[in-house]
Amino acid sequence: MSEDVLQMKPIWYFVGLILIIIGVIVLLAGLYYLFEPINFHIELSGLHTSIWWGVVLIIGGCLLSFLNRKPRDL
Amino acid sequence: MHTISMTVFDWAILMVYLGFVVWVGFFLKKFTKTDDDYFLAGRRNSAFVAGIAFMSANMGALEVVGYAGQGAEYGLFAMHFYLIGAIPAILFLGIFMMPFYYSGRIKSTPGYLKERYDEKTRVLNAVSFSIMTVLSSGISLYALALVLKTFLGWNWDLSIWLSAGFVALYITLSGLLSAIFTEVIQFFLIWGGILLLPILGIVDLGGPTKAFENLPHVYTSLWSITSSASDNPMKLGWPALIFGLGFGISFGYWTTDFLIIQRAFSAKDVRSARMAPIISSYFKILLGFVVVGSGMVGLALMRNPHSGFELLHTGGKINYDSVIPLLMMRYFPPGLIGVGVTALVAMFMAGQAGNMSAFNTVWTYDIYHAVINKKTSQAHLIWVGRVATVAGILLSIIGAYWAKSMPTIIDYLQAIASWILAPAVAVILLGMLIKWISPDGAFWGMLIGTLVSFAMFMALQLGWITPGAIAPGGEASAMAANFWRALWAWLISSGIAVGVSFFTEKRPEAELVGLVRGLSKKMESSDVPLHKKPIFWASITLIIFVVLNIVLW
C-alpha cells in the first residue's frame, strides 16, 4: 500500500461534496420556481419538494464531508 | 406521451455527476500501481464501502426499473425478490462462504474453482461468465438508450455511445478502484432520486393508512396467496418461491456472480469481506420498500380513475417498467427532475461499470493469465485489463445494437444467468462442503448442468414441453418454470459432481486447506467485540426478515 493512498481523504468526503453541490442546485431551482411559475403541471407542487429536499441533501452532504474531512485510508 | 422537460438546473445536476465520474477516473489513476489496485481496488476498503458497492452493483436500472414494474403489476408480491429471493443467500454468502472465497491467492470466483478443483473448471466458468457479463452489459446499454429516448427524447446512438464512453473512460483508467468509488457516489444519488417517489406517492394517495386500502388482497400480501399457484397474479406457489427463487435463482446470483462478489473481495480483511454482504442486506430490504412501494403507488393510481395516471402501452400491452419515469414526471419539479434523471443514468452506469470491472478481472486473471500468457508482469496485467475493458465496452455496444434489433432478448437475460450461475453454485458449494469432490466431478457437473438447463429452456421455448413439465405439481407460469429450471440445473450439477467424484482422482487434503469446511485455517481473531461480529449483524437481518414475512403474510 502506498503512502499516497494513506493520505487520501475518505470516499465519504467526496460523497458529501457532491451531495452539497447537487443540493444547492436543487434548492436554487426550488427558490427560482417559487417566483417563476412552472409552465407544466406537477402534482403536489404546493409542497415545494425541491426546497426541502435540497436542504436535506445539503445537510447530509455537510455532515458527511465534515465528519470525514481528515485524510485517511480508502 | 410528452417527454420529461429538463431545465438548466436539471442539466447542471447531470453535468456535475458526469464531470465527477470522469474526474474520479483521472484522480484515482495515480493510486492504481499494482494489479491488486486495478482489479481489487487494493483490497483496502472498509466493510461499509465494500458493502455499499456490493449493493450498488445490484442497483442497476434493469433491477430498479424492472422491479418497480413488477410492483406495479403484482403489488406487494414483488417484495419476494427482495426478501426470500435475496436475504437468505446474502447472509449465507457473508457467514459461510466468504471465508473460503477471501484469500490472497483467490482474485475471482473462477479463481476459487482453480484453487479448489483445477484449471479446466476455472476456464469453463470464466468463459461462460465473460459471455454472460458482456451480454448483460449490452442489454443494459440498450435499456438505457430506450429509457432516455422514450422519456427524454434523446438520440438513441448518442445515448449508447456517450454512456459507454464515460464508463469506458473511468474503468479503463482506474479499474475497480474507480468503479467502487463511483458506485458509492451512485448509491447516494440513486437514493436521492428515488426515495422521494413512494413518499410523495403515499402523500398523494391520502397518507399511509389510505394509500393502498383499495387494492385487492392479492396485491397486498406475501404468502397468504401462495397455497396454490393460481391464487396469485404471478402464478407462483410457495414451493416455487422457496425452492426455486429462494435457492435455485437467489443462491446462484448472490453467492456466485462475480459482478457482485468482487466488491466484497475488495475489503481490507476477511471480517470486512464478510460484513460487506451483511451490511448490504439492510439496504436491500429498504430498497425493496422504495422500489416495490413506488410500483404499488403506480398500481394504486392506475386503479383510481380520478388520478389521471396511466402507464405507457407498448405493442398493445401495458409497459409496467414505465412506472418510475412516469412517477418522476408526475411529482418531480425542476431540479428534482435532474436528480431523478441523474439517478437513472447512474443506475445504468453502475450496472455497466460493475459488468466491465468483473469482466476485465475474469478475462485477465482467469483466461489470459491462466491460458494465454502465464509468465507476465503486474504492469502487463494492468495493460491487459485496460484493453479488456475497452474491448468489453465495444462488445457491449454491439450487444446493445443486437438487442435493439431483437428486443425480446431482455426477457432471456435471467434465463442466461440461470444457465451459468445455478450449475456454478452447485459445484462451488459442494467444493466448500465436501473435501472428496474431485476436479473432474466439478467440471462435468458444471458443464452438464449448464447444457441441461439450456436444453430445458429451448424445449420450453420451442413448445416441446410445457412449464408444468418441470414443476412439481404440473402447474407453473413461465416465471415459475424459470425458477424450477435453475433448481433442476443445481440438482443435476450436484448429482453429476458427486457421482463422477466416486470414480475420479481427488485433490490431496494438504492442497485444500482454507478452501473446504473442516480443512480451514483460522483467519479471524475471536476476541472481536459482539457488535463487530458478522454473525451478530446477520442475526438482526434474519430477525427483520422473519418479522417482515410474518407481518406482510
Side-chain angles (χ1 to χ4, degrees):
Chain A
M1 196 184 297
S2 70
E3 287 301 310
D4 283 344
V5 172
L6 291 172
Q7 290 303 312
M8 205 178 124
K9 283 181 187 291
I11 194 167
W12 312 111
Y13 175 80
F14 298 97
V15 172
L17 279 188
I18 201 163
L19 288 182
I20 292 170
I21 296 169
I22 290 177
V24 167
I25 299 172
V26 172
L27 176 62
L28 286 177
L31 292 173
Y32 177 81
Y33 287 103
L34 262 185
F35 306 103
E36 187 73 28
I38 310 166
N39 59 3
F40 51 89
H41 179 70
I42 301 282
E43 294 290 334
L44 306 176
S45 56
L47 293 179
H48 302 294
T49 320
S50 290
I51 294 177
W52 58 264
W53 194 241
V55 171
V56 168
L57 293 178
I58 292 169
I59 292 172
C62 287
L63 277 174
L64 274 174
S65 290
F66 179 76
L67 295 174
N68 296 283
R69 64 193 182 282
K70 289 181 183 165
R72 60 177 128 124
D73 201 348
L74 261 178
Chain B
M1 187 202 104
H2 68 89
T3 53
I4 296 175
S5 307
M6 284 183 67
T7 63
V8 66
F9 297 104
D10 305 313
W11 282 107
I13 290 168
L14 186 60
M15 291 303 131
V16 165
Y17 165 71
L18 292 176
F20 186 80
V21 295
V22 172
W23 174 80
V24 163
F26 284 101
F27 173 68
L28 293 178
K29 187 168 182 287
K30 62 184 172 191
F31 301 107
T32 313
K33 291 175 177 164
T34 66
D35 59 328
D36 255 8
D37 290 337
Y38 189 81
F39 296 109
L40 293 171
R43 286 201 152 165
R44 55 192 159 219
N45 283 326
S46 66
F48 235 86
V49 171
I52 284 186
F54 186 95
M55 189 66 251
S56 194
N58 173 251
M59 287 167 72
L62 286 177
E63 284 85 6
V64 175
V65 173
Y67 285 129
Q70 301 263 310
E73 189 171 1
Y74 303 113
L76 188 67
F77 203 70
M79 269 302 283
H80 281 303
F81 292 104
Y82 290 84
L83 294 172
I84 188 78
I87 301 304
I90 292 175
L91 298 184
F92 189 77
L93 171 70
I95 295 301
F96 177 76
M97 294 177 78
M98 197 51 78
F100 300 111
Y101 274 144
Y102 191 89
S103 146
R105 56 196 168 136
I106 296 172
K107 296 170 192 282
S108 63
T109 37
Y112 174 81
L113 291 168
K114 160 73 172 70
E115 294 296 323
R116 172 60 184 85
Y117 298 116
D118 61 3
E119 199 71 273
K120 67 178 183 295
T121 312
R122 183 230 299 243
V123 172
L124 172 67
N125 182 246
V127 169
S128 53
F129 176 79
S130 297
I131 294 169
M132 178 185 84
T133 306
V134 169
L135 202 56
S136 311
S137 178
I139 292 171
S140 170
L141 203 52
Y142 160 75
L144 165 73
L146 188 64
V147 167
L148 297 183
K149 182 174 169 51
T150 308
F151 297 101
L152 293 159
W154 292 1
N155 179 276
W156 189 289
D157 300 303
L158 198 65
S159 301
I160 285 184
W161 285 92
L162 264 185
S163 60
F166 277 107
V167 173
L169 186 66
Y170 69 81
I171 299 292
T172 304
L173 286 168
S174 315
L176 188 65
L177 202 54
S178 57
I180 287 185
F181 211 97
T182 49
E183 278 164 2
V184 174
I185 304 283
Q186 284 154 350
F187 177 86
F188 284 88
L189 288 180
I190 293 167
W191 282 103
I194 63 170
L195 185 61
L196 276 175
L197 286 179
I199 296 173
L200 292 174
I202 288 171
V203 171
D204 189 22
L205 287 163
T209 51
K210 286 187 176 174
F212 306 119
E213 68 181 3
N214 292 326
L215 290 181
H217 181 59
V218 288
Y219 294 117
T220 57
S221 173
L222 275 184
W223 291 102
S224 66
I225 49 174
T226 59
S227 56
S228 158
S230 56
D231 289 351
N232 62 76
M234 219 181 264
K235 305 291 176 207
L236 292 173
W238 63 266
L241 282 168
I242 293 175
F243 300 112
L245 178 63
F247 287 94
I249 294 281
S250 171
F251 271 68
Y253 176 72
W254 290 103
T255 69
T256 311
D257 193 339
F258 185 56
L259 159 68
I260 303 288
I261 297 171
Q262 187 179 24
R263 275 70 198 150
F265 277 29
S266 78
K268 61 188 175 189
D269 52 38
V270 67
R271 189 193 67 81
S272 303
R274 296 179 72 193
M275 281 299 293
I278 294 166
I279 288 170
S280 82
S281 66
Y282 290 88
F283 292 112
K284 184 69 184 173
I285 293 173
L286 195 57
L287 184 69
F289 283 105
V290 173
V291 170
V292 177
S294 298
M296 288 179 70
V297 165
L299 175 65
L301 288 171
M302 275 191 296
R303 297 176 68 89
N304 178 355
H306 305 296
S307 73
F309 184 80
E310 201 179 340
L311 294 181
L312 285 187
H313 284 70
T314 310
K317 289 182 181 172
I318 297 175
N319 178 357
Y320 290 99
D321 291 353
S322 63
V323 67
I324 283 214
L326 288 178
L327 286 177
M328 285 180 181
M329 288 171 77
R330 181 180 175 91
Y331 297 123
F332 281 4
L336 276 182
I337 280 288
V339 180
V341 170
T342 303
L344 278 176
V345 172
M347 286 175 214
F348 281 106
M349 287 173 66
Q352 207 187 7
N355 277 311
M356 281 305 108
S357 52
F359 168 75
N360 69 20
T361 306
V362 168
W363 165 264
T364 304
Y365 283 130
D366 301 305
I367 298 176
Y368 181 82
H369 194 34
V371 179
I372 300 169
N373 185 357
K374 293 193 176 189
K375 291 179 181 172
T376 186
S377 65
Q378 282 195 354
H380 182 70
L381 284 179
I382 295 177
W383 180 82
V384 171
R386 288 190 166 127
V387 172
T389 305
V390 175
I393 290 277
L394 289 174
L395 288 170
S396 303
I397 292 173
I398 294 170
Y401 281 100
W402 180 43
K404 186 184 174 188
S405 66
M406 201 175 82
T408 50
I409 189 73
I410 290 186
D411 300 336
Y412 300 154
L413 189 61
Q414 198 177 37
I416 295 166
S418 69
W419 302 336
I420 292 161
L421 297 178
V425 74
V427 298
I428 287 175
L429 257 185
L430 282 176
M432 289 176 175
L433 287 167
I434 306 170
K435 63 188 177 189
W436 50 261
I437 297 294
S438 72
D440 285 340
F443 177 80
W444 289 109
M446 196 154 62
L447 181 63
I448 294 173
T450 301
L451 294 175
V452 168
S453 181
F454 178 70
M456 280 192 277
F457 174 79
M458 290 308 296
L460 280 166
Q461 288 296 310
L462 296 170
W464 296 347
I465 57 173
T466 62
I470 59 171
E475 183 188 13
S477 62
M479 188 183 288
N482 211 22
F483 294 170
W484 285 116
R485 194 164 43 74
L487 190 65
W488 281 119
W490 185 355
L491 293 173
I492 290 166
S493 293
S494 300
I496 290 171
V498 168
V500 173
S501 294
F502 281 125
F503 310 103
T504 51
E505 190 179 346
K506 284 94 179 154
R507 293 279 301 270
E509 283 190 16
E511 294 176 7
L512 300 179
V513 173
L515 301 167
V516 186
R517 189 167 173 265
L519 298 174
S520 302
K521 55 189 175 188
K522 196 171 172 62
M523 294 174 74
E524 284 182 85
S525 167
S526 55
D527 49 356
V528 173
L530 182 66
H531 72 278
K532 287 192 171 182
K533 286 188 174 174
I535 191 74
F536 173 72
W537 292 103
S539 302
I540 294 180
T541 307
L542 199 60
I543 291 168
I544 294 171
F545 168 78
V546 171
V547 169
L548 283 175
N549 275 290
I550 293 170
V551 170
L552 302 173
W553 187 270

